Amino acid sequence: GARTPSPFPLTDGNRWTLRDTERNTPRTISARRTSDGMVVSGFPGLADTRVRWSGQTLQVWDTAQGRWEALFRFGAAVGESYAVDLGDTFLWRSLVVTVRSKRAAMRDFRGRAVAGCTRFTFESRRPIADAGLEEISFAPGVGPVRIVDQTIAGRRVLALASRSLR
């Protein structure tokens, strides 16, 4: 049958710019191929991070623990939860990730609806004052569409403003 477009198309040179819906400040997420493999930059709470696909799961290299760890399980059923514990990160340590929807409709920065999104929510097992991820949504063939996190300045919603996919 037809292949479903990737929810996070990681090709060398792909870029996504999300903007804070209140402050209009940009955040760019990008993918690039290196001698160590694919690297994603600009993801909340993560430095430049090696990533790879394993089936429908996006894995990241956990340098602290020297192993690949599932970050986004796109193949998981709605309602399924799993643990993420990246040792050398602040926001991605001791998290419970839940697949909330695979058909969510999200709005991009210009208010246009983006259908069919996979929406992940996050709950910290060790709550951090003034910081934390709340949710991230990805659209097939598009990538990250919406990121909600908690900062010292309050809740922040980042919505996709533009993308450059190769």
Side-chain angles (χ1 to χ4, degrees):
R3 238 183 108 235
T4 315
S6 172
F8 196 8
L10 293 173
T11 302
D12 187 36
N14 281 3
R15 298 170 65 84
W16 299 265
T17 299
L18 291 87
R19 290 192 166 274
D20 184 315
T21 56
E22 285 185 20
R23 296 170 195 86
N24 196 22
T25 50
R27 170 183 286 275
T28 299
I29 297 170
S30 61
R32 70 182 189 282
R33 170 123 351 246
T34 71
S35 57
D36 288 333
M38 192 58 70
V39 171
V40 170
S41 303
F43 229 75
L46 293 176
D48 290 5
T49 305
R50 285 174 57 202
V51 296
R52 73 176 185 190
W53 284 103
S54 176
Q56 295 181 63
T57 298
L58 183 69
Q59 297 178 328
V60 296
W61 180 252
D62 185 345
T63 52
Q65 298 175 69
R67 63 184 163 96
W68 290 98
E69 183 154 353
L71 192 63
F72 295 111
R73 293 183 176 176
F74 289 97
V78 172
E80 191 174 316
S81 295
Y82 57 94
V84 172
D85 191 17
L86 299 180
D88 55 357
T89 69
F90 184 64
L91 288 182
W92 295 89
R93 189 178 300 144
S94 202
L95 281 182
V96 175
V97 182
T98 302
V99 180
R100 288 291 171 204
S101 177
K102 291 192 166 188
R103 294 190 305 274
M106 294 290 154
R107 298 229 169 255
D108 70 10
F109 187 70
R110 290 173 185 81
R112 290 185 296 242
V114 181
C117 295
T118 299
R119 184 170 157 254
F120 295 93
T121 59
F122 305 90
E123 189 180 328
S124 180
R125 291 185 302 225
R126 289 189 301 212
I128 309 157
D130 302 326
L133 291 165
E134 287 186 19
E135 65 178 72
I136 299 180
S137 298
F138 296 86
V142 175
V145 173
R146 191 175 175 92
I147 299 172
V148 181
D149 63 4
Q150 195 62 245
T151 70
I152 200 152
R155 190 169 185 260
R156 178 175 60 177
V157 177
L158 301 168
L160 183 65
S162 65
R163 66 183 191 270
S164 169
L165 304 183
R166 296 177 193 265

